[in-house]
Amino acid sequence: MKPTLFLLAAGMGSRYGGLKQLDGLGPNGETIMDYSIYDAIQAGFGKIVWVIRKDFEEQFRTQILSKYEGKVQCELCFQELDALPSGFSVPEGRQKPWGTNHAVLMGKDIIKEPFCVINCDDFYNRDAFMVMGRFLSSLPEGAKNQYAMVGFRVGNTLSENGTVARGICSTDAEGCLTTVVERTEIVRCAADGSNAGSPDEAVRYKDEQGQWVAVKDETPVSMNVWGFTPDYFQYSEEYFKEFLSDEKNMQNLKAEFFIPLMVNKLIQEGTATVKVLDTTSKWFGVTYAADRQTTVDRIQQLVDEGVYPAKLF
């Protein structure tokens, strides 16, 4: 069974200032996700599923889905704030979505095969899809609890225009993930946080105490390129109920049910293994509006080099 590509596309892109998922950056108006889908098809993926917000379904179908008709199977699912288990309700005043693993949960009724989860606004490079496609396609039928993650090197995943959020990873001797900790502020900077973006500085993240902690450029990080089998949905459903039952999470209107939170639990319990698939690929994307022109230029360079056709679909 061919694996499915599952794109997380429900975010508004608040830092970017608009629906960056639909921003045409390629020479013929291609979005970043168009390149991800093109690469995934080349890597043997057989179905594309997006999780989006219901309120921009019409625009999404017109601008995005129509171009894939007859080329690959496509389906949509929807992430809404009130998509909660029975017995739970949205806390008063909460507007922020419930996070990446809540978005993943929205695909439980339509994804029945091994699948790869990605962000739709990150340019991952074709190698990421090739290594993940090989891993998922090689799983025996009915496989459970054998997951994977493409591990990018943190120094290859930064923005020149501000901090980025990444999952800082540790691995064991077999190359399996032992921990992943979501760090929401990562940047090249001095020990006191000054001189941000300078290539002469170390990569650092801000910890819970507000201190800047240095890490090596080669440190593997999660860019939300995960490989799962459908059993992952059941684990996520059960743990989301625990998450919502924690009064601390319900009182914090910005608390999020991240994928790394779920993955860490499964690893620490010994329920699942997560193979870290190494790549030296350099990420780029549009975390900030100032990233846009750099991304346009990099895509054009790849087209000029013949990596991609000028018109994808």
Side-chain angles (χ1 to χ4, degrees), residues 53-268:
R53 285 199 334 275
K54 187 70 175 177
D55 63 354
F56 67 90
E57 178 184 5
E58 183 177 352
Q59 181 185 5
F60 198 92
R61 288 189 181 278
T62 300
Q63 191 169 339
I64 300 297
L65 288 196
S66 60
K67 72 180 74 175
Y68 303 122
E69 290 179 355
K71 299 179 177 66
V72 66
Q73 182 183 351
C74 298
E75 296 195 48
L76 291 180
C77 57
F78 305 99
Q79 183 185 23
E80 299 296 335
L81 203 56
D82 59 357
L84 300 176
S86 177
F88 295 94
S89 58
V90 180
E92 184 178 353
R94 180 164 185 123
Q95 297 180 335
K96 189 175 182 64
W98 291 104
T100 52
N101 211 54
H102 178 251
V104 170
L105 257 176
M106 301 302 101
K108 65 184 176 64
D109 293 329
I110 58 176
I111 298 177
K112 306 299 181 184
E113 56 283 321
F115 62 100
C116 172
V117 177
I118 67 168
N119 296 333
C120 70
D121 51 4
D122 289 312
F123 198 107
Y124 291 113
N125 187 285
R126 188 170 301 161
D127 182 63
F129 297 98
M130 297 298 291
V131 297
M132 183 59 79
R134 283 195 294 269
F135 175 87
L136 295 175
S137 297
S138 68
L139 291 173
E141 187 174 352
K144 295 182 177 181
N145 306 327
Q146 299 176 55
Y147 308 147
M149 186 203 82
V150 176
F152 287 73
R153 300 175 182 184
V154 67
N156 289 339
T157 71
L158 305 177
S159 168
E160 298 174 356
N161 299 299
T163 62
V164 295
R166 305 283 182 255
I168 300 284
C169 302
S170 300
T171 58
D172 62 18
E174 284 73 43
C176 289
L177 192 66
T178 54
T179 61
V180 54
V181 179
E182 188 78 8
R183 299 296 182 182
T184 56
E185 294 184 67
I186 305 177
V187 70
R188 288 193 186 278
C189 67
D192 62 358
S194 63
N195 208 22
S198 170
D200 299 326
E201 300 293 351
V203 179
R204 302 178 192 272
Y205 67 82
K206 185 180 285 189
D207 67 11
E208 292 84 354
Q209 287 72 45
Q211 301 298 310
W212 289 99
V213 180
V215 294
K216 294 181 179 180
D217 276 40
E218 297 78 21
T219 301
V221 295
S222 165
M223 294 294 299
N224 264 352
V225 183
W226 298 95
F228 298 121
T229 44
D231 50 294
Y232 184 78
F233 292 122
Q234 182 178 351
Y235 297 131
S236 297
E237 278 193 302
E238 294 169 356
Y239 193 37
F240 191 41
K241 292 176 184 177
E242 290 185 36
F243 178 90
L244 295 171
S245 297
D246 187 333
E247 195 63 32
K248 178 180 61 178
N249 291 328
M250 294 301 276
Q251 291 175 353
N252 178 2
L253 300 182
K254 294 187 177 180
E256 293 188 64
F257 186 43
F258 288 123
I259 293 172
L261 190 68
M262 182 75 255
V263 169
N264 272 338
K265 176 179 170 64
L266 295 174
I267 291 172
Q268 291 166 9

Side-chain angles (χ1 to χ4, degrees), residues 5-18:
L5 183 67
F6 191 15
L7 294 103
L8 306 183
M12 275 291 292
S14 57
R15 286 178 294 184
Y16 186 64

